[in-house]
Amino acid sequence: MKQYTITVNGTAYEVTVEEVGAVSAAPVAPAAPAAAPAPKAAAAPAPKAAPAAAPAGAQGATKVAAPMPGTILKVNVAVGQAVKSGESLCVLEAMKMENDIPAPADGTVASVNVTKGATVQSGDILVTLN
């Protein structure tokens, strides 16, 4: 970690910044102890592993979330429709700009959670792909 002093409008603030390189080494050490409790209670970690696999799209659904708050201008897909990676799922208006929300991977639309004119917040699930 590094400490800096930053002055804003004449007021000095002390700021501590964590280095990214130092963070990547830290999770490696806890990963080994985390593996030891897994064999003790194999049933408990399984539900935790399933949600982690879902966003990756390997086994479960891929959830496409709103990257920023805005209004849905257009929904380009319907449930059951096959989509290709990069294909526009919907159009989100934010800060007077139209943003295409692309499919992160190939798949089939499992659910459409928004409608035209809906207001969404950052992180709201727009579409789920299988």
Side-chain angles (χ1 to χ4, degrees):
M1 292 214 213
K2 292 186 178 184
Q3 288 189 324
Y4 296 97
T5 301
I6 299 174
T7 304
V8 178
N9 296 331
T11 304
Y13 298 95
E14 288 189 23
V15 179
T16 303
V17 179
E18 188 172 344
E19 294 182 58
V20 175
V23 173
S24 65
V28 174
K40 291 179 184 177
K48 293 180 183 177
Q59 286 180 322
T62 301
K63 296 179 180 178
V64 181
M68 64 193 86
T71 303
I72 301 297
L73 293 181
K74 186 176 183 182
V75 178
N76 298 327
V77 295
V79 175
Q81 180 178 341
V83 294
K84 298 284 185 187
S85 179
E87 185 176 336
S88 177
L89 301 174
C90 58
V91 178
L92 174 70
E93 180 186 34
M95 298 184 295
K96 305 272 184 195
M97 294 186 65
E98 294 182 9
N99 302 285
D100 282 326
I101 306 301
D106 292 354
T108 303
V109 178
S111 69
V112 178
N113 303 327
V114 293
T115 58
K116 181 179 176 180
T119 301
V120 296
Q121 297 300 316
S122 182
D124 286 355
I125 303 301
L126 306 174
V127 177
T128 304
L129 303 175
N130 282 333

